[in-house]
Every structure is written in structure tokens, then in C-alpha cells.
Amino acid sequence: MASSGPAKQSTWTARRILLPFAAAAAVVLLLLALHALKKHDLFAPSNTCAGPHHSHRPLPAAEGSRDIDELLLAQLPPSPPLITAVVPCYNKGAVVLEAAASLLRQSYPSLHILVVDDGSTDPETVHALLALERSMGSHSWPHKLNVLRKKNGGLASTRNFGILHAPEETDMFLFLDHDDVLEPHAVVFLFLALYHNPNKMYAYPDQWFFERENLVWETQEYNAYDLLWANHPSVCALIRKKAFLQTSYDAYDKSFQWGMEDWLLWLTFSDRHLDGVRVPLPLFRYRIMRTRMSHETAAKA
């Protein structure tokens, strides 16, 4: 689905994790987060960012019993804006539940989740989405989730459908494909990157590949010139709504059936000087599979 996978990305650097990755990554993530928050440098405004910056609330003194949630949430503004997460889905019901669960566990307090079913025909997926809808009525989740259904049209059209059907008060969009997952504090980190870089239009993290591979791709810092020949932002990104207002709500090109639709979006943004910013943490987990949603769409075309 994403054009930044190892089979399609020609210029990217990967380093293998030698320790048991699940445990090691969690420890490293916490240490990096605590260090960055204490130093106030992870979300420092970019040198190319002009204009006044939002005020930064003082970081509370760390205590032995204080966990990462408190440290991170203390950095948010008093009334965090609404973020709508769009999850395009076509079949593969088991993995879409994992993607939804990773969003429902997000620590960011103002999140609306839209799972957009692109005409799934697999009975497992149909039942999984019905179960997901029922769980929203029978459990107390921290975030609202809706399942939307549309005629099959492919990955790009499904993302566009989510943009068009998001709540009006949405301030930013997050795109997560149905076979991927996020770390619990991913949305907070991405939001803070944009909050402290008000002239940047989107934020993207490093990627953690898993399932058939187990490695981390360290994405490069945003560079509009390099973007002409290498898709260095990750496919999962937090994008300001006003970036779409300056381009189009039909932002993802539906003619791109084999992926690369995200790369074209970044190029469209770059052409209008709508630049991105990297968050150097592996917050986005990209599942390596034999086929992904874009492949399945193209096979039917």
C-alpha cells in the first residue's frame, strides 16, 4: 500500500535491532521521549520556519512515580484540537481490528476515528467491522469511532472519502492503513511537532517494520529538493486540514493504483510550499505483507 516499503523505496537507510526488539524499543522510546521533553529540543521550531511560535508551557519536574503519559500530556495546549484518524479498509478483517485498537489506545485526548470500508467482500472483514461497531456501543472507549462504507474505488478514493466525511471541527488528519499500527503516544508526538512548528503542514515519524521483517527505517529530515526523487516521508502522517484547503479535498490521486499516491501528495504540497517535519521516533509500525490494499485494488483493475 505505502510507497515507502522496502521493495519500493530506493533510498532509505535501515538498521537492524539486535536486542529483543519489542522490549528494547519500548525502553528506548521512553528514554528518548523523556530526554527530548526535558531538553525541549525534539519539537523546537525548524530553522526554516518563519513567524511567531506558540508559547511552550513549562515542563513539570519529573518525579520517580510520574509516567510518560503525564510528561507528554503536560505539553499539550489546554484544549487540544480535534484530530480525525482515517483508516481505509479492504478485506483483511483481523488486521484492521489491530489498527483500530492501536488508535483507541492513543493518549491524545481529542481523537475521532473513521474506519472506511472500501466495499470489502471477505466475510471475516464484514463480521469484524460489525463487531467493531457493536463494541463501540458496549464498551467505554476514550475515543469515538465510526465505520463508514462505500463502493469499492481503491486506496486513494477511500482516503479522500474519509477526508470528506470527517467532523467539521476537524483540525488535522491522521492516515493509518488498515494493516498498520501506531505506538500509544504517536499522535501526541506528531501533534507536538506541528504545534511547535506552526508553519509546517504535516509531521511524519520513523517507521518500524514488522511481521515478515523486523527493522527500523530512519526517515530523513524533510527536504523539498530530495523529495523530487525519493519519497522520504512515511505514509503515516499527521496533516493540517488547511493543507487540503489549499490543494483539494480530493487530494489523493485515484489513478495511482499501485501505491505512490502519498508521494504525489507530498510533491503537491511541496509545490505550494506546504512543507513537512520529521519526528525522529519509530512511532509507526508498518506491517510487511505479501499483498497490501493498493496491490489488491490494482489486481482488480
Side-chain angles (χ1 to χ4, degrees):
M1 178 188 301
S3 58
S4 48
K8 293 188 174 67
Q9 182 68 36
S10 59
T11 57
W12 59 281
T13 302
R15 62 179 168 82
R16 298 214 174 244
I17 306 302
L18 301 179
L19 297 174
F21 196 86
V27 172
V28 170
L29 181 59
L30 291 178
L31 290 175
L32 284 171
L34 286 168
H35 174 74
L37 288 170
K38 289 176 183 177
K39 299 287 288 184
H40 295 284
D41 58 1
L42 181 58
F43 304 114
S46 167
N47 292 334
T48 60
C49 183
H53 305 303
H54 293 282
S55 61
H56 190 291
R57 295 199 291 166
L59 180 69
E63 299 174 4
S65 61
R66 183 164 294 179
D67 61 17
I68 190 66
D69 292 55
E70 295 178 46
L71 289 168
L72 281 173
L73 296 180
Q75 303 305 298
L76 296 175
S79 298
L82 179 66
I83 292 174
T84 293
V86 177
V87 183
C89 171
Y90 178 73
N91 293 335
K92 302 194 185 305
V95 294
V96 73
L97 293 180
E98 292 181 43
S102 77
L103 288 168
L104 289 168
R105 289 194 297 265
Q106 289 299 305
S107 57
Y108 185 81
S110 183
L111 183 66
H112 188 114
I113 304 161
L114 295 180
V115 178
V116 185
D117 179 22
D118 188 35
S120 292
T121 56
D122 172 28
E124 181 186 18
T125 303
V126 173
H127 292 312
L129 294 178
L130 288 173
L132 184 59
E133 288 180 298
R134 287 195 296 269
S135 74
M136 296 308 298
S138 59
H139 295 79
S140 178
W141 298 103
H143 306 301
K144 185 176 181 180
L145 182 148
N146 295 110
V147 176
L148 307 179
R149 293 172 174 83
K150 61 180 285 293
K151 182 180 178 180
N152 182 263
L155 174 59
S157 73
T158 307
R159 288 183 182 147
N160 292 337
F161 189 90
I163 295 171
L164 289 170
H165 290 81
E168 187 176 352
E169 62 271 25
T170 297
D171 187 66
M172 300 177 186
F173 287 96
L174 177 81
F175 295 92
L176 180 70
D177 292 342
H178 70 170
D179 37 14
D180 300 325
V181 295
L182 291 180
E183 293 298 299
H185 302 296
V187 178
V188 171
F189 276 114
L190 293 170
F191 169 77
L192 289 174
L194 292 181
Y195 182 64
H196 293 288
N197 288 280
N199 285 359
K200 300 299 183 183
M201 288 296 112
Y202 62 96
Y204 60 92
D206 290 351
Q207 289 186 193
W208 171 3
F209 295 98
F210 74 107
E211 197 163 285
R212 295 175 63 85
E213 296 283 347
N214 189 21
L215 54 89
V216 165
W217 170 37
E218 296 176 337
T219 58
Q220 77 170 69
E221 300 297 331
Y222 179 81
N223 185 300
Y225 181 67
D226 287 350
L227 192 60
L228 292 172
W229 61 75
N231 184 17
H232 57 264
S234 54
V235 65
C236 177
L238 181 64
I239 307 173
R240 297 185 193 272
K241 180 179 179 178
K242 62 183 178 182
F244 293 112
L245 292 174
Q246 296 181 52
T247 53
S248 168
Y249 277 111
D250 200 27
Y252 288 98
D253 192 325
K254 291 176 286 189
S255 67
F256 279 61
Q257 295 289 324
W258 282 93
M260 301 294 183
E261 74 291 326
D262 56 311
W263 191 0
L264 181 59
L265 180 66
W266 309 143
L267 289 170
T268 300
F269 284 168
S270 177
D271 186 56
R272 293 163 173 77
H273 305 287
L274 307 175
D275 297 330
V277 59
R278 175 195 175 210
V279 176
L281 291 171
L283 306 170
F284 167 48
R285 298 182 62 193
Y286 181 102
R287 190 188 307 266
I288 302 296
M289 304 178 70
R290 292 185 183 276
T291 60
R292 291 176 65 92
M293 185 173 171
S294 58
H295 302 162
E296 293 171 329
T297 302
K300 296 182 300 180

